Amino acid sequence: MEWLNALDDDAAARHAAGLRRELRPRGAAIDLAGNDYLGLSRHPEVLAAAAGALAEFGLGATGSRLVRGTTAVHEALETGLADLLGAESALVYSSGYLANLGAVRALVRDGTLVVSDAHNHASIVDGCRLACAGRAGRAGAATVVAPHADPAAVRDILAAHPGRPAVVVTESVFSVDGDLAPLAELHAVARAHGALLLVDDAHALGVLGPRGAGGVAAAGLAGEPDVVVTATLSKSLGAAGGVVAGPRQLHRLLVDTGRTFIYDTALPPAVAAGALAALRLLAGGDALRAELHARTARAVARLRAEGLEVSAPDGGVVSVAAPSPDEAFAWAAACRERGVAVGCFRPPSTPDGRARLRLTVGVGVPAEDFDHALDIIIKERP
């Protein structure tokens, strides 16, 4: 049929450009691809908490919290997240992706200008599109993409639209290169122009800040009334789900009107219970964070010593440039065949169009395995 032929043509074009993607068995590789930074996904206390809730509540949530009812586990998790992040309140979602969609949509009103960093995650990009475009968006709302990590450019964009409601959106630790946004400077610019600052703290939660409270806390912005934080529970917490944290009025708005909360089946109680146990461990995990940063520095030094182009990460993401999408794909495949799992990032996942291997440093990997994985990555370079 014609539409299937068109799909085949599109797939062939992606293949020719080195942009095909494959589902494959997870296997028993040394994991430098997943985001379990602190190794909590298999911690005995986390598994025990999840198992207890699984026995009590069953496998799934069976509906949204507004329809089926909330649980004490969800509420305890939200209280704990709000406390760690220094926010008045927090609302848990079934994924970090949905949390970002919901947060952006909630903060955009008629006529709002959204200023989005050029390296922002796809969930933020999609949130901006949904909030600002088409009949489902807000009338007169628009998104302007700002140069990466450039407060002066953000200032100029806001200054060109005086009196207009605005939201500045950024990641804290960026998901591709692992660099940290200049959050204090961005907040100062946003506040000077009456704008809100929305920060996706996904890759900083558990990694940066006091008690692992994230990049916003590390910048001294926790609890500021014009700052909203989102994060995923699937990285340092080793679980699944997402959170939006901020003033209590925002929590009320999200529960009343947020489509990605109202119409989505809730995070399973067993996952919430595991995340809550991980949250308590994370807050006391200074030694784990120190080991994470030491390993990250060791990886960067070793890879650069071999002449590889490596990012200067502030968290646990190490980005290694590849010559082309095809070579990145082949490099990652060769590592996998040698027992090392790494991320392979190619357009459109890379904001600058350059292909990379992305290594995520996790302290759950034994130190000798981590160093062996670096040897393999170096040996299998294109």
Side-chain angles (χ1 to χ4, degrees), residues 226-258:
D226 51 358
V227 176
V228 174
V229 180
T230 65
T232 176
L233 314 183
S234 63
K235 296 180 172 48
S236 287
L237 291 173
V243 63
V244 179
R248 55 180 175 77
Q249 294 92 334
L250 175 62
H251 185 281
R252 182 73 268 163
L253 176 66
L254 292 169
V255 172
D256 283 346
T257 70

Short mmCIF file of all heavy atoms in Angstrom, two decimals, residues 226-258:
data_model
loop_
_atom_site.label_atom_id
_atom_site.label_comp_id
_atom_site.label_asym_id
_atom_site.label_seq_id
_atom_site.Cartn_x
_atom_site.Cartn_y
_atom_site.Cartn_z
N ASP A 226 9.80 32.22 42.23
CA ASP A 226 9.74 32.32 40.77
C ASP A 226 10.56 31.23 40.09
O ASP A 226 10.98 31.37 38.93
CB ASP A 226 10.18 33.70 40.29
CG ASP A 226 11.52 34.13 40.87
OD1 ASP A 226 12.10 33.38 41.69
OD2 ASP A 226 11.99 35.24 40.53
N VAL A 227 10.82 30.14 40.81
CA VAL A 227 11.55 28.99 40.26
C VAL A 227 10.69 27.74 40.41
O VAL A 227 10.16 27.46 41.48
CB VAL A 227 12.90 28.79 40.98
CG1 VAL A 227 13.59 27.53 40.47
CG2 VAL A 227 13.80 30.01 40.79
N VAL A 228 10.56 26.99 39.32
CA VAL A 228 9.87 25.71 39.32
C VAL A 228 10.87 24.65 38.89
O VAL A 228 11.65 24.86 37.95
CB VAL A 228 8.65 25.73 38.37
CG1 VAL A 228 8.02 24.34 38.26
CG2 VAL A 228 7.63 26.75 38.85
N VAL A 229 10.85 23.51 39.57
CA VAL A 229 11.80 22.42 39.30
C VAL A 229 11.04 21.19 38.82
O VAL A 229 10.02 20.82 39.41
CB VAL A 229 12.61 22.07 40.55
CG1 VAL A 229 13.59 20.93 40.26
CG2 VAL A 229 13.36 23.29 41.08
N THR A 230 11.55 20.58 37.77
CA THR A 230 11.08 19.26 37.38
C THR A 230 12.26 18.29 37.49
O THR A 230 13.42 18.70 37.48
CB THR A 230 10.53 19.22 35.94
OG1 THR A 230 11.59 19.49 35.02
CG2 THR A 230 9.42 20.23 35.76
N ALA A 231 11.94 17.02 37.61
CA ALA A 231 12.99 16.00 37.63
C ALA A 231 12.36 14.66 37.32
O ALA A 231 11.14 14.49 37.40
CB ALA A 231 13.71 15.95 38.98
N THR A 232 13.20 13.73 36.96
CA THR A 232 12.76 12.35 36.80
C THR A 232 13.22 11.54 38.00
O THR A 232 14.22 11.87 38.64
CB THR A 232 13.33 11.74 35.50
OG1 THR A 232 12.95 10.37 35.42
CG2 THR A 232 14.85 11.81 35.47
N LEU A 233 12.48 10.50 38.31
CA LEU A 233 12.84 9.59 39.39
C LEU A 233 13.60 8.38 38.86
O LEU A 233 13.91 7.46 39.61
CB LEU A 233 11.57 9.12 40.12
CG LEU A 233 10.55 10.20 40.49
CD1 LEU A 233 9.39 9.59 41.26
CD2 LEU A 233 11.20 11.33 41.26
N SER A 234 13.93 8.39 37.57
CA SER A 234 14.50 7.22 36.92
C SER A 234 16.02 7.26 36.82
O SER A 234 16.62 6.35 36.26
CB SER A 234 13.92 7.08 35.51
OG SER A 234 14.26 8.20 34.72
N LYS A 235 16.64 8.31 37.36
CA LYS A 235 18.09 8.41 37.27
C LYS A 235 18.71 8.11 38.63
O LYS A 235 18.86 6.96 39.00
CB LYS A 235 18.47 9.75 36.67
CG LYS A 235 17.96 9.87 35.22
CD LYS A 235 18.28 11.15 34.57
CE LYS A 235 17.94 11.16 33.08
NZ LYS A 235 16.62 10.66 32.70
N SER A 236 19.06 9.11 39.40
CA SER A 236 19.72 8.84 40.68
C SER A 236 18.85 8.03 41.64
O SER A 236 19.38 7.33 42.50
CB SER A 236 20.13 10.15 41.35
OG SER A 236 21.24 10.70 40.68
N LEU A 237 17.53 8.13 41.51
CA LEU A 237 16.66 7.36 42.38
C LEU A 237 16.47 5.92 41.90
O LEU A 237 15.89 5.11 42.61
CB LEU A 237 15.30 8.05 42.53
CG LEU A 237 15.33 9.35 43.33
CD1 LEU A 237 13.97 10.04 43.26
CD2 LEU A 237 15.71 9.10 44.78
N GLY A 238 16.91 5.63 40.68
CA GLY A 238 16.85 4.27 40.18
C GLY A 238 15.46 3.70 40.00
O GLY A 238 15.28 2.48 39.97
N ALA A 239 14.46 4.56 39.88
CA ALA A 239 13.07 4.10 39.83
C ALA A 239 12.44 4.47 38.49
O ALA A 239 12.99 4.17 37.43
CB ALA A 239 12.29 4.71 41.01
N ALA A 240 11.29 5.07 38.53
CA ALA A 240 10.60 5.59 37.34
C ALA A 240 9.68 6.69 37.83
O ALA A 240 9.37 6.79 39.02
CB ALA A 240 9.81 4.50 36.63
N GLY A 241 9.24 7.53 36.90
CA GLY A 241 8.33 8.60 37.27
C GLY A 241 9.00 9.96 37.16
O GLY A 241 10.17 10.09 36.82
N GLY A 242 8.21 11.00 37.44
CA GLY A 242 8.71 12.37 37.38
C GLY A 242 8.05 13.20 38.46
O GLY A 242 7.13 12.76 39.14
N VAL A 243 8.54 14.42 38.62
CA VAL A 243 8.01 15.31 39.65
C VAL A 243 8.07 16.75 39.16
O VAL A 243 8.97 17.14 38.41
CB VAL A 243 8.81 15.17 40.97
CG1 VAL A 243 10.27 15.57 40.79
CG2 VAL A 243 8.17 15.96 42.09
N VAL A 244 7.07 17.52 39.55
CA VAL A 244 7.08 18.98 39.41
C VAL A 244 7.01 19.55 40.82
O VAL A 244 6.11 19.21 41.59
CB VAL A 244 5.89 19.49 38.58
CG1 VAL A 244 5.93 21.02 38.47
CG2 VAL A 244 5.89 18.86 37.18
N ALA A 245 7.97 20.42 41.16
CA ALA A 245 8.04 20.99 42.50
C ALA A 245 8.06 22.50 42.42
O ALA A 245 8.76 23.08 41.58
CB ALA A 245 9.30 20.49 43.23
N GLY A 246 7.29 23.14 43.29
CA GLY A 246 7.24 24.60 43.29
C GLY A 246 6.22 25.09 44.30
O GLY A 246 5.86 24.39 45.25
N PRO A 247 5.72 26.31 44.12
CA PRO A 247 4.73 26.87 45.05
C PRO A 247 3.45 26.04 45.10
O PRO A 247 3.09 25.36 44.14
CB PRO A 247 4.45 28.26 44.46
CG PRO A 247 5.66 28.58 43.63
CD PRO A 247 6.11 27.27 43.07
N ARG A 248 2.75 26.12 46.23
CA ARG A 248 1.54 25.31 46.42
C ARG A 248 0.46 25.68 45.40
O ARG A 248 -0.36 24.84 45.03
CB ARG A 248 1.01 25.48 47.84
CG ARG A 248 0.75 26.92 48.25
CD ARG A 248 0.23 27.05 49.67
NE ARG A 248 0.08 28.44 50.07
CZ ARG A 248 -0.92 29.24 49.69
NH1 ARG A 248 -1.87 28.75 48.91
NH2 ARG A 248 -0.98 30.49 50.10
N GLN A 249 0.46 26.95 44.95
CA GLN A 249 -0.55 27.35 43.96
C GLN A 249 -0.36 26.58 42.64
O GLN A 249 -1.33 26.28 41.95
CB GLN A 249 -0.49 28.86 43.71
CG GLN A 249 -0.87 29.71 44.90
CD GLN A 249 0.33 30.10 45.76
OE1 GLN A 249 1.34 29.39 45.78
NE2 GLN A 249 0.23 31.23 46.45
N LEU A 250 0.88 26.30 42.30
CA LEU A 250 1.14 25.53 41.08
C LEU A 250 0.64 24.10 41.25
O LEU A 250 0.05 23.52 40.33
CB LEU A 250 2.64 25.54 40.76
CG LEU A 250 3.07 24.67 39.58
CD1 LEU A 250 2.41 25.15 38.29
CD2 LEU A 250 4.59 24.66 39.44
N HIS A 251 0.86 23.52 42.42
CA HIS A 251 0.36 22.18 42.70
C HIS A 251 -1.16 22.13 42.51
O HIS A 251 -1.70 21.21 41.88
CB HIS A 251 0.73 21.82 44.14
CG HIS A 251 0.38 20.42 44.55
ND1 HIS A 251 -0.91 20.06 44.90
CD2 HIS A 251 1.14 19.31 44.67
CE1 HIS A 251 -0.92 18.78 45.22
NE2 HIS A 251 0.30 18.29 45.09
N ARG A 252 -1.86 23.12 43.02
CA ARG A 252 -3.31 23.19 42.87
C ARG A 252 -3.71 23.27 41.39
O ARG A 252 -4.65 22.58 40.94
CB ARG A 252 -3.83 24.42 43.61
CG ARG A 252 -5.32 24.65 43.61
CD ARG A 252 -6.03 23.67 44.51
NE ARG A 252 -6.47 22.46 43.78
CZ ARG A 252 -6.82 21.34 44.37
NH1 ARG A 252 -6.79 21.23 45.68
NH2 ARG A 252 -7.22 20.30 43.66
N LEU A 253 -3.00 24.07 40.62
CA LEU A 253 -3.29 24.22 39.20
C LEU A 253 -3.08 22.90 38.46
O LEU A 253 -3.90 22.51 37.62
CB LEU A 253 -2.40 25.31 38.60
CG LEU A 253 -2.52 25.52 37.09
CD1 LEU A 253 -3.91 26.07 36.73
CD2 LEU A 253 -1.43 26.47 36.58
N LEU A 254 -1.99 22.21 38.77
CA LEU A 254 -1.68 20.96 38.08
C LEU A 254 -2.72 19.89 38.38
O LEU A 254 -3.13 19.14 37.49
CB LEU A 254 -0.29 20.47 38.49
CG LEU A 254 0.89 21.33 38.01
CD1 LEU A 254 2.18 20.89 38.69
CD2 LEU A 254 1.05 21.24 36.49
N VAL A 255 -3.16 19.80 39.63
CA VAL A 255 -4.18 18.80 39.99
C VAL A 255 -5.52 19.14 39.34
O VAL A 255 -6.26 18.26 38.89
CB VAL A 255 -4.31 18.70 41.52
CG1 VAL A 255 -5.49 17.82 41.92
CG2 VAL A 255 -3.02 18.15 42.13
N ASP A 256 -5.85 20.42 39.28
CA ASP A 256 -7.14 20.84 38.73
C ASP A 256 -7.19 20.76 37.21
O ASP A 256 -8.25 20.45 36.64
CB ASP A 256 -7.45 22.29 39.14
CG ASP A 256 -7.92 22.40 40.57
OD1 ASP A 256 -8.27 21.37 41.18
OD2 ASP A 256 -7.93 23.54 41.10
N THR A 257 -6.08 21.09 36.53
CA THR A 257 -6.13 21.29 35.08
C THR A 257 -5.08 20.53 34.28
O THR A 257 -5.14 20.52 33.05
CB THR A 257 -5.97 22.79 34.74
OG1 THR A 257 -4.63 23.20 35.01
CG2 THR A 257 -6.93 23.64 35.54
N GLY A 258 -4.11 19.91 34.93
CA GLY A 258 -2.99 19.32 34.20
C GLY A 258 -3.35 18.01 33.52
O GLY A 258 -3.52 16.97 34.17
#
